[in-house]
Amino acid sequence: MGVTVDVRQVYKYPFEQVVASFLRKYPNPMDKNVISVITVEEKRDVSTGIIYRKRIAVCQNVVPEILRKVSILKVPSIQLEEESWLNPQERNMAIRSHCLTWTQYASMKEESVFRESVENPNWTEFIQRGRISITGAGFLNCILETFASTFLRQGAQRVSLFLLGTNIYFKKS
């Protein structure tokens, strides 16, 4: 079956500041579920100026204890892979992420874009679409999909709260 989550947010801050905040947002005290984020690859295309990054995030397993009675769900942490393409000239950044844990039972993919807002060039628009599909867990498929979609929505809200939270995160380096 599967569940889709869509988010759209406009930040009243310039693109460069929002993207810089996004790239350094984890780990942080507002979201204790993200244990670490490691950049495993970073390169710049000299002809286009596009910066490619691949990062691995290690997150706490947030599946409720009652569901962790099922052996496949009883893992201490979950790994996510995020790839991003930052185009500073066109002022946009595309992001794709997916879950590396439970790949034989679940598919979790997100695609996001940060771009200059059409409303105001000093604002930044964020668009995210996530899709979760659980298979192989029998009657738990629907329960796990519902839980995962709630978690994705809350995660998108935490990103928004973090990015909007204080001007400290938006100070230029």
Side-chain angles (χ1 to χ4, degrees):
M1 186 172 115
V3 177
T4 302
V5 176
D6 291 307
V7 175
R8 183 184 179 279
Q9 176 75 40
V10 175
Y11 302 106
K12 294 184 178 182
Y13 294 95
F15 170 80
E16 293 78 11
Q17 290 175 321
V18 171
V19 166
S21 294
F22 173 82
L23 290 172
R24 68 175 182 260
K25 75 178 186 244
Y26 293 122
N28 76 67
M30 289 176 62
D31 191 347
K32 298 193 186 297
N33 291 326
V34 179
I35 300 165
S36 67
V37 176
I38 302 157
T39 300
V40 294
E41 185 177 356
E42 183 170 336
K43 59 186 175 185
R44 177 188 291 263
D45 183 314
V46 290
S47 64
T48 63
I50 294 174
I51 301 166
Y52 169 80
R53 286 182 187 88
K54 183 189 286 188
R55 306 188 310 171
I56 304 292
V58 178
C59 306
Q60 290 183 21
N61 183 350
V62 295
V63 172
E65 278 299 321
I66 189 76
L67 296 176
R68 286 196 223 174
K69 303 285 186 217
V70 178
S71 63
I72 61 169
L73 300 176
K74 198 174 197 169
V75 297
S77 61
I78 300 165
Q79 290 191 346
L80 305 169
E81 181 181 79
E82 173 190 270
E83 294 180 282
S84 65
W85 295 264
L86 171 61
N87 187 332
Q89 294 172 338
E90 294 186 12
R91 299 182 82 205
N92 66 52
M93 182 167 78
I95 306 159
R96 277 195 321 228
S97 58
H98 65 275
C99 188
L100 297 173
T101 308
W102 300 312
T103 55
Q104 69 273 36
Y105 303 105
S107 170
M108 190 287 293
K109 296 180 181 182
E110 288 179 343
E111 293 186 2
S112 307
V113 173
F114 285 99
R115 63 183 180 203
E116 182 180 291
S117 172
V118 293
E119 297 173 53
N120 182 327
N122 292 315
W123 295 353
T124 304
E125 184 177 18
F126 173 66
I127 301 165
Q128 182 180 64
R129 173 167 232 155
R131 177 142 178 87
I132 302 156
S133 181
I134 311 284
T135 58
F139 72 94
L140 290 177
N141 287 358
C142 187
I143 294 168
L144 290 169
E145 285 176 350
T146 301
F147 171 76
S149 69
T150 301
F151 183 74
L152 269 182
R153 282 187 186 92
Q154 289 172 346
Q157 288 171 346
R158 281 192 300 272
V159 168
S160 294
L161 289 173
F162 176 78
L163 291 173
L164 294 172
T166 76
N167 286 335
I168 294 170
Y169 298 110
F170 293 106
K171 289 183 179 174
K172 291 186 180 179
S173 304

